[in-house]
Amino acid sequence: MASEKSLPIFTVDAFASKPFTGNPAAVCLIQNGDLSDDTKQKLAMEMNLSETAFVRILQPGDSFEKSSNFELRWFTPKNEVKLCGHATVASAAVLFFCSGNQSDALTFKTKSGDLVAKRSADRITISLPQNPPSDKVPKGVDKLIEITLGDYHSKLAETLYSLSTRKLVVLLHPSVHREELEKMSPNPAAMMAAYKTGEVMGVIITLRGSQENGAVDEDGRVYDFISRYFAPWNGIDEDPVTGAAHTVLSPYWSNVLGKKEMYARQCSARGGNLEIKMRDDGRVDLSGTAKIVLEGKVLLN
C-alpha cells in the first residue's frame, strides 16, 4: 500500500497540438509502495476519463526526476487494460515536463512488456508492438457492423479483426468524405447489445485519406488514413485518439500503401494527429505532442 496520504495527479491531453484536444488521460505518480488494484479502479472511476495511468517507482531510493525505469498500469472506468498508447504519452509528458526528468528515454514495465518513450523537443515518441489484423473475423458481427455504420453501411468495403487486441476493423470505401466519418454516431448501448461474446472489445472505423475526401490538415497536408474508435465494452463510448488502435491500423495501412512512415488522424470531436513509423522489429513508433491541463493531489484518506 502506498505510504503517502496524498499522491500527485495530472490530466494530460495526449496527441494534442493545443489544450482540450487530443485524448485526455489522468496520470497518478506513486513514489512509495503501491495502491491496491481496487483503489486504482475506484480512482479511475472517480476521474472518469478513458484511462487513468499509474506510474510507480520500481526501486527504493529512486525518484521521478532521476530514474528512467518505471512500472505503468492503465485503468478505464470499468477495468484494467493491457495496453494504452495515449496514456503512455501522457505519463511520459508528466515525467519529462512536470517532474523534470532529464532522461532522453523512459522505459515503462507494463503487462504488454517494456514500452519506451523518447522525447525530441516538445514531441514524444512511444514504441508499441504491432498488432496486424487478419480476415479471420468472429462470427455474428454483422448486426454490430450495421449498428455501428448506420446509414453508411452500404459504404462498407471490408472487415478485419485483431485477435491480440480484440478489435474489429471496419474499412470504408475511400469515397466516404471525412465529414461523413465525423458525423457517424453509433449507439453504444445498441453496440454492446448486438455483440456480447467478449471477442470484440472495440470497433475501429477507417478509410484511406485523400485530398478529394477532405482528409487534410490545417496546412493542407494529406492524412494517409483517418479513423474513429468505439469501445463501449470497456466503458469508453468513443476514444478521442487511440494509440492501441493504431498498432492495428498501422501495419494494415503500411501494407496497403507500401509506406513505412505515415501521417494519420483520429476524427473524434476532439481529434488528434499521429506521426507513424513502422519498424522491422515488429514494433511501431507513434509520435505526437501532449499538453498538461491540470495538476493536483488525490487524497487517500
Side-chain angles (χ1 to χ4, degrees):
M1 185 70 181
S3 59
E4 298 98 333
K5 295 182 179 180
S6 64
L7 296 173
I9 195 163
F10 306 79
T11 59
V12 184
D13 291 341
F15 299 114
S17 58
K18 54 186 177 181
F20 316 122
T21 64
N23 199 351
V27 179
C28 183
L29 303 183
I30 305 172
Q31 175 82 47
N32 299 307
D34 200 0
L35 299 177
S36 69
D37 286 3
D38 182 62
T39 299
K40 290 174 180 174
Q41 187 62 70
K42 287 178 178 177
L43 182 53
M45 292 173 63
E46 182 78 12
M47 298 307 295
N48 200 32
L49 296 173
S50 57
E51 266 85 15
T52 295
F54 295 88
V55 182
R56 186 172 70 89
I57 293 286
L58 289 172
Q59 298 296 330
D62 281 352
S63 68
F64 292 112
E65 295 81 9
K66 295 181 179 180
S67 180
S68 60
N69 293 277
F70 303 92
E71 180 188 80
L72 176 60
R73 294 173 67 184
W74 311 276
F75 287 74
T76 78
K78 280 192 175 182
N79 54 263
E80 184 176 11
V81 293
K82 291 179 63 177
L83 180 65
C84 181
H86 87 275
T88 304
V89 169
S91 299
V94 167
L95 294 171
F96 285 141
F97 307 136
C98 297
S99 297
N101 193 296
Q102 296 301 306
S103 303
D104 293 326
L106 304 172
T107 299
F108 295 109
K109 307 290 184 180
T110 81
K111 291 189 175 183
S112 290
D114 288 358
L115 302 182
V116 176
K118 299 179 180 180
R119 64 172 163 186
S120 176
D122 65 339
R123 299 189 70 81
I124 294 174
T125 299
I126 56 172
S127 168
L128 301 178
Q130 297 177 28
N131 292 290
S134 76
D135 59 3
K136 296 181 180 179
V137 177
K139 295 180 179 179
V141 298
D142 291 349
K143 184 65 176 179
L144 171 60
I145 295 171
E146 182 180 341
I147 289 171
T148 303
L149 294 183
D151 293 339
Y152 297 95
H153 188 260
S154 63
K155 298 293 185 178
L156 174 65
E158 188 178 5
T159 306
L160 302 171
Y161 177 68
S162 167
L163 176 62
S164 56
T165 64
R166 292 189 288 173
K167 290 177 173 41
L168 192 69
V169 182
V170 178
L171 293 147
L172 298 180
H173 192 276
S175 64
V176 173
H177 198 275
R178 172 182 170 177
E179 291 183 355
E180 294 177 300
L181 176 64
E182 292 173 341
K183 288 178 181 178
M184 293 182 185
S185 56
N187 184 306
M191 290 176 69
M192 289 191 291
Y195 204 81
K196 303 177 180 179
T197 71
E199 290 179 279
V200 173
M201 296 298 289
V203 179
I204 306 168
I205 307 175
T206 186
L207 68 148
R208 183 173 182 170
S210 68
Q211 190 82 38
E212 290 73 25
N213 67 14
V216 297
D217 68 12
E218 294 176 351
D219 298 320
R221 184 182 175 191
V222 177
Y223 298 110
D224 290 294
F225 63 91
I226 56 178
S227 65
R228 290 179 68 186
Y229 178 60
F230 304 90
W233 300 270
N234 281 324
I236 306 167
D237 290 350
E238 179 174 9
D239 204 27
V241 191
T242 317
H246 284 82
T247 69
V248 178
L249 291 169
S250 298
Y252 170 79
W253 284 114
S254 176
N255 183 61
V256 169
L257 301 174
K259 301 176 72 172
K260 291 287 188 181
E261 297 186 14
M262 294 169 288
Y263 183 44
R265 180 168 181 82
Q266 196 159 324
C267 294
S268 63
R270 294 174 64 99
N273 300 335
L274 301 92
E275 299 280 357
I276 299 165
K277 184 176 182 180
M278 301 295 293
R279 294 174 22 174
D280 295 330
D281 61 356
R283 301 182 74 83
V284 56
D285 287 345
L286 304 177
S287 178
T289 53
K291 300 297 180 182
I292 310 295
V293 175
L294 184 68
E295 179 178 358
K297 292 183 179 181
V298 56
L299 304 180
L300 299 176
N301 57 7

